[in-house]
Amino acid sequence: MGFPIIGETLEFMKPHDAFQLPTFLTKKILRHGPVFRTSLFGARVIISTDIGLNMEIAKTNHVPGAPKSLARFFGENNLFVKSKESHKHVRNLTSQFLGSQGLRLRMIQDIDSLARTHMELGAKNGGLDIKETSSKILIECLAKKVMGDMEPHAAKELTQCWGGFPRGWFRFSWSIPGNGVYRMLKARNQMMNLLKETVLKKRASGEELGEFFKIIFGETEGGSKKMSIENAIEYIFTFFVIANETTPGVLAATVKLINDKPRVKQELQREHKRIFQDKTEKDEADLTWEDYKSMTFTQMVINESLRITSTVPTMLRIVEHETHVGDYTIPAGWIFMGFPSVHFNPEKYEDPLAFNPWRWEGKDLGVILSRTYMPFGAGSRLCLGAEFAKMQMAIFIHHLCRYTWSMKTETKVLRRFILMFPRGSDVQISEDTEVDNSAVY
């Protein structure tokens, strides 16, 4: 269990290669086997790489497992964590906004337009930072969908709030002026106040809120469920912060993987050149849902990237009652962390440390969960934003591949639970769109 209070937190949080399981985990498995207990962030934790156990815990437990600092960050009354019923309610709301129908009707054109605009700007400037640009696209798109038209100063302040949260959510829970938890809570309060002020001002003046708020209030006002403005604000806050912290980092890591495999890059350029030429011949500019679904090789790349970058637990639960699975007894009240180590099992994936999108050829590319693939979690907490994340990545890659580009060789991708880019994620871009046919492995 490690040292008193701090347990094995320092070892667990050491930065490691984002494309390999952490040394802490591999050493522990060699010593204790696929399931072991430890102490992290002042909490008692079970860590598991046993796929059967992970799936059983995900299926029978519903409360997300997180240190107290994270629970405080998202709020004790947050509907995502308050109860099974409230979580079910917000999942229903989110699926209306981010389900395939919502993406077709509301999101794809906005993401496409913003990605095109930012890529054109990057080409004029000679380059851009992938993670930073992806974050801007996401924030600009969601801000309009949620809040509607905003006064320029409020929109700018909101963008700064969303983009400026302290990194590293997994911390000890002590809030001392100047430390990480204190800064996180301060940033949270600032953003919550700004959101609430904007919503109240718009409702008082009769101005329209964005489509997402219409879904929230439209469903609840006429039904049995009532969501207060406070709960709605907490819901929006949680939704935005999680979206902004996950997809941009995975996209930047994906671009790094593509950059390091010239044959993958060449095949992507061919696929997107074909789509671009088809749109030109039809005198169409905007991408459609059908265009997105036709990006077969891009989907293979994204699936492979999600497999190889899932080097953190994708299943986090509080064990609600003592559970017996096989030879294991999992005690109630402990945090359970399930790692998807099956992603690196050579019996399931040949040469598992290699980035090889062709391993997905002929497979169902829409699957987001199986016994050998679980980048988005499992059970009642399976990520509802999975298709949205994949769509963002595909559209960004589409517009990037319209240009000649290369990522800086010094780019490093590390994990300290959350993906880190200590030297940034810059790419150089030129407007020369000729596809390089000389690419090799």
Side-chain angles (χ1 to χ4, degrees):
M1 299 288 284
F3 295 103
I5 303 176
I6 65 170
E8 297 183 292
T9 305
L10 300 180
E11 188 68 23
F12 178 78
M13 290 298 286
K14 276 185 180 177
H16 64 90
D17 185 338
F19 307 131
Q20 295 188 30
L21 290 171
T23 305
F24 170 82
L25 183 68
T26 54
K27 282 182 178 178
K28 283 285 193 176
I29 291 171
L30 285 173
R31 184 174 178 185
H32 301 294
V35 183
F36 56 91
R37 63 184 182 180
T38 185
S39 172
L40 302 173
F41 313 104
R44 297 176 299 177
V45 177
I46 299 288
I47 291 181
S48 168
T49 60
D50 183 299
I51 183 62
L53 179 59
N54 291 356
M55 296 294 273
E56 181 64 23
I57 294 294
K59 185 171 66 175
T60 57
N61 295 269
H62 309 284
V63 179
K68 288 181 180 178
S69 61
L70 206 54
R72 290 173 67 182
F73 180 50
F74 288 116
E76 293 179 4
N77 295 319
N78 194 297
L79 293 177
F80 278 101
V81 299
K82 199 172 183 182
S83 69
K84 186 178 177 181
E85 290 70 30
S86 67
H87 179 244
K88 215 168 167 184
H89 178 51
V90 295
R91 280 183 73 85
N92 179 47
L93 291 175
T94 309
S95 65
Q96 290 183 53
F97 191 59
L98 293 184
S100 59
Q101 190 67 12
L103 294 178
R104 288 181 201 225
L105 295 175
R106 300 183 180 93
M107 304 297 287
I108 190 166
Q109 288 187 350
D110 288 341
I111 293 287
D112 176 42
S113 175
L114 286 165
R116 183 188 300 111
T117 300
H118 280 278
M119 210 63 67
E120 288 171 353
L121 183 61
K124 286 178 183 174
N125 293 333
L128 53 79
D129 183 289
I130 297 290
K131 186 173 184 289
E132 184 181 300
T133 304
S134 174
S135 179
K136 284 179 182 176
I137 291 168
L138 179 67
I139 289 168
E140 287 173 27
C141 175
L142 293 182
K144 186 173 181 182
K145 292 295 181 186
V146 172
M147 306 304 294
D149 294 326
M150 295 178 66
E151 295 174 3
H153 76 276
K156 185 177 180 181
E157 191 176 346
L158 195 57
T159 301
Q160 289 173 341
C161 281
W162 276 326
F165 274 93
R167 296 295 178 258
W169 299 350
F170 282 74
R171 305 170 184 266
F172 289 99
S173 60
W174 311 310
S175 178
I176 303 167
N179 78 348
V181 173
Y182 177 85
R183 293 198 307 274
M184 281 167 58
L185 295 176
K186 185 177 178 181
R188 175 187 185 274
N189 292 336
Q190 182 183 358
M191 182 171 167
M192 294 279 284
N193 289 336
L194 180 59
L195 284 169
K196 187 173 181 179
E197 182 184 319
T198 303
V199 171
L200 291 175
K201 189 182 290 185
K202 277 179 169 281
R203 295 195 99 188
S205 64
E207 289 181 68
E208 282 200 353
L209 289 161
E211 294 171 52
F212 205 1
F213 262 118
K214 287 180 186 176
I215 290 172
I216 293 172
F217 293 126
E219 182 194 286
T220 57
E221 284 174 2
S224 58
K225 286 273 186 184
K226 295 291 181 184
M227 186 184 288
S228 66
I229 287 181
E230 287 73 18
N231 279 339
I233 296 298
E234 283 208 337
Y235 168 50
I236 294 299
F237 166 78
T238 304
F239 176 78
F240 272 85
V241 172
I242 290 175
N244 188 46
E245 191 55 57
T246 51
T247 306
V250 175
L251 175 58
T254 302
V255 172
K256 168 64 174 170
L257 290 165
I258 295 167
N259 184 76
D260 292 350
K261 285 282 185 178
R263 186 173 169 234
V264 173
K265 188 175 178 181
Q266 176 189 354
E267 190 61 35
L268 281 169
Q269 287 173 318
R270 283 177 178 161
E271 178 167 270
H272 292 288
K273 184 177 182 181
R274 173 185 55 77
I275 293 170
F276 182 63
Q277 287 175 339
D278 286 348
K279 304 298 285 183
T280 303
E281 288 170 9
K282 294 175 183 176
D283 197 26
E284 296 174 353
D286 298 335
L287 285 175
T288 64
W289 185 256
E290 289 69 30
D291 294 326
Y292 162 59
K293 285 297 183 180
S294 75
M295 299 175 186
T296 305
F297 188 69
T298 306
Q299 300 283 352
M300 291 160 60
V301 167
I302 290 170
N303 277 12
E304 179 68 349
S305 171
L306 288 167
R307 179 191 72 82
I308 208 169
T309 57
S310 295
T311 51
V312 287
T314 56
M315 278 168 274
L316 294 161
R317 297 288 193 279
I318 298 291
V319 182
E320 297 169 39
H321 45 78
E322 186 171 284
T323 305
H324 300 272
V325 181
D327 297 330
Y328 302 113
T329 298
I330 310 299
W334 287 49
I335 291 176
F336 183 91
M337 293 185 173
F339 277 82
S341 61
V342 67
H343 289 191
F344 299 91
N345 185 339
E347 293 179 7
K348 306 297 181 183
Y349 295 97
E350 184 181 349
D351 193 9
L353 293 178
F355 177 64
N356 176 18
W358 284 273
R359 71 170 85 244
W360 296 91
E361 203 162 14
K363 297 183 180 178
D364 183 355
L365 299 176
V367 170
I368 59 171
L369 174 65
S370 71
R371 289 187 69 84
T372 59
Y373 186 68
M374 47 197 67
F376 295 105
S380 63
R381 296 281 166 178
L382 179 68
C383 178
L384 273 177
E387 189 66 54
F388 180 46
K390 292 176 73 173
M391 186 189 77
Q392 290 175 72
M393 293 171 69
I395 292 175
F396 191 100
I397 290 168
H398 168 75
H399 287 289
L400 181 62
C401 287
R402 290 174 55 193
Y403 300 89
T404 298
W405 64 272
S406 63
M407 182 169 260
K408 291 185 176 179
T409 54
E410 63 266 25
T411 303
K412 281 190 175 182
V413 189
L414 303 176
R415 263 205 189 277
R416 193 171 180 264
F417 207 94
I418 288 172
L419 285 167
M420 301 165 56
F421 299 84
R423 297 179 182 175
S425 55
D426 295 320
V427 292
Q428 296 169 319
I429 304 177
S430 73
E431 299 200 43
D432 174 16
T433 58
E434 184 179 348
V435 174
D436 178 12
N437 291 310
S438 65
V440 294
Y441 284 100

